[in-house]
């Protein structure tokens, strides 16, 4: 038996192997017109050959096997078996047909070859398991030639590993996967050529450093490549260990011929196994996820669920085939709001917290539902929704408990501010009563000033009690109330003196508001007591502004200026101490007849 190869391209050209050209008497080498080659085929077979070629090139079929007659140099027709295989290209013009032509001789019957090829073709239809496929392939090869010691090696290009899914040998055990070295298997993988390795040839290759001995030493070794297009993805090999069994070129031709047919079958099986492995992984992953997953079609019908959903809604089984709102919520119409409907409308993910219902529609918990578009990747068409559902019942209970606890603490804190304010008002009232009983005017005035200071602090707690935010207060509203109180205390009923208030600053914490309130009380008190003569009209100015990383409090008047021998220095001492508490600086300027201005600058970060 002799095997020859040829190539046909989409331009109607054919390239014929030199040995085949010699056999049929073709003098021209290289590419020639396909019509020239047809002259070597029997006239009755030419149309069948052309039909097979056109079918492969035009319809993207992968293989075709046919038998026809070809004329030799001696003007006699020999029956040949031909397998044509499509080699995919990057474009339609890049397609090639690879032909494997078998010229039969008397040593092997045509019927036996055809039966073997038929059985190889059937393996792709009847056998899904790779090892079982290779076992049947081994049996087919044994029917054509001695092949007790037989193996198939596959090369994983991505991981650079050679594995042996089928390995039958009377001496060696199946090898574990390994990286390519310098074995005979690697020689075929690298060259893409079939080899008959005799002891003499092995010794020669070994001396050249091209191969090294692996496993038990064999007498003869036959190895042929498994190809898909231009890719060599594996090796099929047989070997003998006794002198009584020697292989010949004819055996190599047989093994090559079968391997050419079997390569497509093996490649298809590998692809199917990879697909099944990915599919099984997806199924196992889908089933193992502890959150709920539902697949819905565009009409909100449930088409697939994972075990978690079946566990949560066991009272509504079976879930598949029902509307999601019927199975999960016991409703007769879609929920509102519904994230899945939003996803179907917009094609974008959506989410919503929804109730988890039990038998009779009773709410037994809460779910965080995420809806994602289910896309048909071949067409890009929206075909449904993936609902990913997480049970957040415990988190929501903890959140509700925390909110209730915060509300309780907020009420308690407001009550504390309220009681502090009331206690300060009691102290202020006691001071007022005591001041009214004193005959010493200086002592009564001192108690009155203490009363105003307490009032300044009490106002802070009153503001906090009334504010929604218990940590910060609006200084503008606070200062306005404080100024009104001071004017009523020192100038009751007076319309000659007024105040102006400007605040351009964020809300303040209690640690800043109380010192600022006391500073304001002392400085405004000094203005009201010393800046204006009886009956004199005037104005007190108060402002608080944020400048870069500082707050600036200014209190000024347009009175007669601060006297040099001011009788009360205790108030100013309080101002200095409170300024230092704020890590600030105090500056007071007073000009006779033009009023007094006090400025307090201290660091502040929002």
């Amino acid at each position: 038996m002799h095997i020859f190869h040829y190539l046909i391209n989409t331009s109607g050209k054919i390239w014929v192997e030199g040995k085949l050209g010699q056999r049929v008497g073709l003098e021209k080498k290289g590419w020639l017109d396909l019509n020239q080659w047809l002259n070597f085929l029997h006239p009755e077979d030419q149309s069948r050959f052309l039909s097979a070629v056109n079918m492969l090139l035009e319809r993207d079929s992968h293989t075709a096997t046919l038998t026809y007659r070809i004329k030799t140099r001696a003007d006699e027709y020999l029956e040949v078996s031909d397998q044509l295989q499509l080699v995919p290209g990057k474009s339609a013009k890049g397609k090639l047909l690879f032909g494997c032509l078998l010229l039969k001789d008397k040593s092997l019957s045509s019927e036996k070859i055809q039966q073997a090829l038929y059985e190889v073709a059937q393996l792709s239809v009847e056998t899904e398991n790779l090892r079982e496929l290779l076992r049947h392939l081994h049996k087919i090869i044994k029917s054509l030639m001695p092949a007790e010691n037989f193996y198939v090696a596959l090369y994983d290009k991505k991981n650079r590993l050679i594995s042996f899914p089928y390995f039958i040998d009377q001496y060696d055990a199946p090898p574990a996967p390994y990286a390519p070295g310098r074995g005979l298997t690697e020689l075929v993988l690298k060259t893409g050529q079939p080899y008959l390795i005799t002891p003499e040839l092995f010794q020669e290759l070994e001396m050249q450093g091209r191969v090294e001995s692996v496993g038990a030493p064999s007498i003869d070794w036959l190895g042929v490549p498994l190809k898909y297009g231009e890719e060599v993805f594996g090796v099929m090999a047989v070997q003998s260990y006794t002198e009584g069994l020697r292989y010949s070129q004819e055996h190599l031709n047989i093994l090559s011929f079968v391997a050419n047919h079997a390569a497509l079958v093996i490649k298809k099986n590998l692809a199917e196994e990879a697909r099944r492995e990915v599919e099984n992984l997806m199924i196992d992953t889908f089933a193992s996820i502890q959150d709920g997953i539902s697949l819905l079609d565009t009409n909100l019908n449930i088409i697939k669920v994972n075990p978690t959903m079946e566990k949560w809604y066991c009272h509504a089984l079976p879930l598949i085939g029902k509307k999601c709102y019927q199975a999960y919520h016991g409703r007769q119409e879609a929920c509102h709001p519904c994230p899945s409907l939003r996803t179907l409308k917009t094609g974008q993910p959506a989410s919503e917290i929804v109730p988890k219902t039990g038998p009779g529609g009773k709410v037994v918990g809460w779910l965080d539902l995420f809806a994602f578009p289910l896309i048909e990747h071949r067409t890009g068409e929206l075909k449904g929704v993936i609902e990913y559902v997480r049970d957040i019942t415990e988190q929501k209970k903890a959140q509700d408990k925390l909110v209730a606890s915060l509300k309780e603490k907020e009420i308690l804190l407001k009550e504390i501010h309220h009681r502090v304010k009331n206690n300060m008002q009691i102290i202020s009232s006691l001071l007022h009563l005591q001041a009214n009983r004193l005959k010493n005017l200086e002592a009564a005035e001192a108690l009155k000033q203490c009363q105003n200071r307490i009032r300044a602090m009490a106002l802070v707690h009153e503001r906090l009690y009334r504010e929604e935010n218990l940590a910060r207060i609006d200084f503008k509203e606070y200062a306005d109330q404080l100024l009104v109180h001071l004017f009523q205390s020192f100038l009751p009923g007076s319309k000659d003196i007024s105040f102006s208030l400007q605040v351009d600053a964020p809300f303040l914490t209690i640690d800043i508001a109380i010192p600022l309130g006391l500073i304001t009380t002392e400085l405004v008190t000094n203005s009201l007591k010393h800046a204006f003569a009886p009956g004199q009209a005037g104005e007190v100015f108060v402002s608080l502004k944020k400048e870069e990383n500082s707050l600036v409090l200014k209190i000024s008047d347009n009175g007669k200026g601060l006297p040099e021998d001011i009788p009360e220095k205790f108030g100013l001492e309080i101002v200095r101490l409170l300024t230092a508490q704020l890590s600030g600086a105090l500056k007071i300027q007073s000009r006779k007849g033009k009023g007094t201005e006090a400025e307090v600058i201290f660091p502040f970060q929002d």
Side-chain angles (χ1 to χ4, degrees), residues 109 140 155 188 214 230 283 304 311 332 348 395 412:
S109 69
I140 293 169
Y155 179 56
V188 177
V214 178
E230 296 297 319
I283 291 172
K304 192 174 182 64
K311 179 182 176 182
Q332 297 304 312
Q348 299 298 317
Q395 295 96 306
L412 180 60

Side-chain angles (χ1 to χ4, degrees), residues 337-470:
C338 175
S340 294
L341 280 176
R342 290 208 303 273
T343 296
L344 287 173
K345 183 177 180 179
T346 65
Q348 299 298 317
S351 64
E352 199 75 46
I353 293 177
V354 299
K356 179 182 179 183
T357 58
K362 180 182 178 182
V363 176
V364 296
W366 294 91
L367 302 171
D368 208 353
L369 191 156
F370 299 87
F372 301 95
L374 181 60
I375 305 295
E376 172 59 59
H377 292 290
R378 288 179 299 176
T379 63
E381 182 183 354
L382 180 66
K383 57 184 293 188
V385 175
I386 303 170
E387 287 192 341
Y388 187 92
V389 188
R390 175 163 291 173
D391 191 329
I392 59 169
T393 303
E394 294 304 317
Q395 295 96 306
K396 199 165 189 313
K397 285 181 180 178
Q399 183 181 4
D400 291 345
K401 187 176 179 181
L402 180 62
V403 170
S405 176
L406 289 174
K407 188 67 176 176
E408 183 180 335
K409 287 180 173 60
E410 181 181 323
I411 293 172
L412 180 60
L413 190 55
K414 280 194 172 187
E415 181 63 23
I416 290 172
H417 284 304
H418 184 56
R419 292 190 180 188
V420 169
K421 184 256 303 182
N422 288 344
N423 289 336
M424 285 186 168
Q425 284 182 339
I426 291 172
I427 294 171
S428 178
S429 298
L430 290 172
L431 290 174
H432 180 69
L433 289 172
Q434 187 65 46
N436 288 339
R437 290 174 176 270
L438 290 175
K439 295 181 180 180
N440 187 314
L441 295 179
E442 187 177 346
E445 183 64 23
L447 288 180
K448 183 178 180 181
Q449 291 188 23
C450 286
Q451 184 182 350
N452 287 333
R453 290 165 187 148
I454 291 172
R455 176 61 179 166
M457 291 186 287
L459 270 176
V460 172
H461 290 280
E462 182 178 351
R463 295 302 309 170
L464 288 173
Y465 170 70
R466 298 182 183 280
E467 292 285 350
E468 290 292 328
N469 188 336
L470 298 178

Side-chain angles (χ1 to χ4, degrees), residues 526-527 530-532 536 557-564 566 589-597:
N526 279 341
S527 292
H530 305 293
F532 306 103
Q536 179 183 352
D557 60 62
N558 55 4
K560 59 187 179 180
L562 193 66
E564 295 180 2
I566 184 170
Q589 291 181 335
S590 180
R591 289 184 294 175
K592 190 174 181 180
K594 293 186 178 181
T596 302
E597 180 182 271

Side-chain angles (χ1 to χ4, degrees), residues 474-484 498-504 520 539-544 553-555:
D474 183 349
F475 187 77
K476 183 176 183 180
E477 293 183 3
Y478 163 68
D480 187 69
Q481 281 188 277
L482 180 61
L483 291 171
V484 169
S498 61
F499 68 83
S500 171
L501 175 64
Q502 290 184 343
V503 176
D504 183 15
T520 302
E539 190 173 6
V540 176
F541 306 93
V542 178
S543 70
L544 180 68
L553 173 68
K554 287 185 180 180
I555 297 176

Side-chain angles (χ1 to χ4, degrees), residues 539-585:
E539 190 173 6
V540 176
F541 306 93
V542 178
S543 70
L544 180 68
K545 295 183 180 180
K546 187 174 187 303
E547 295 181 359
E548 296 183 351
N549 295 323
S550 300
L551 280 181
V552 180
L553 173 68
K554 287 185 180 180
I555 297 176
S556 61
D557 60 62
N558 55 4
K560 59 187 179 180
L562 193 66
E564 295 180 2
D565 57 341
I566 184 170
E568 299 172 12
K569 301 221 177 146
F570 179 64
L572 288 177
E573 186 63 28
I574 290 177
V575 171
R576 291 189 181 93
L577 289 173
L578 291 172
T579 302
Q581 179 181 321
L582 294 171
S583 301

Side-chain angles (χ1 to χ4, degrees), residues 51-65 84-88 95-97 228 264:
S51 295
V53 170
N54 291 332
M55 178 188 71
L56 291 173
L57 291 176
E58 296 175 5
R59 302 182 187 177
D60 278 344
S61 300
H62 289 293
T63 61
T65 302
L84 290 89
Q85 177 180 331
L86 179 66
V87 181
K95 292 180 182 177
L96 283 176
L97 288 183
Y228 182 72
L264 282 175

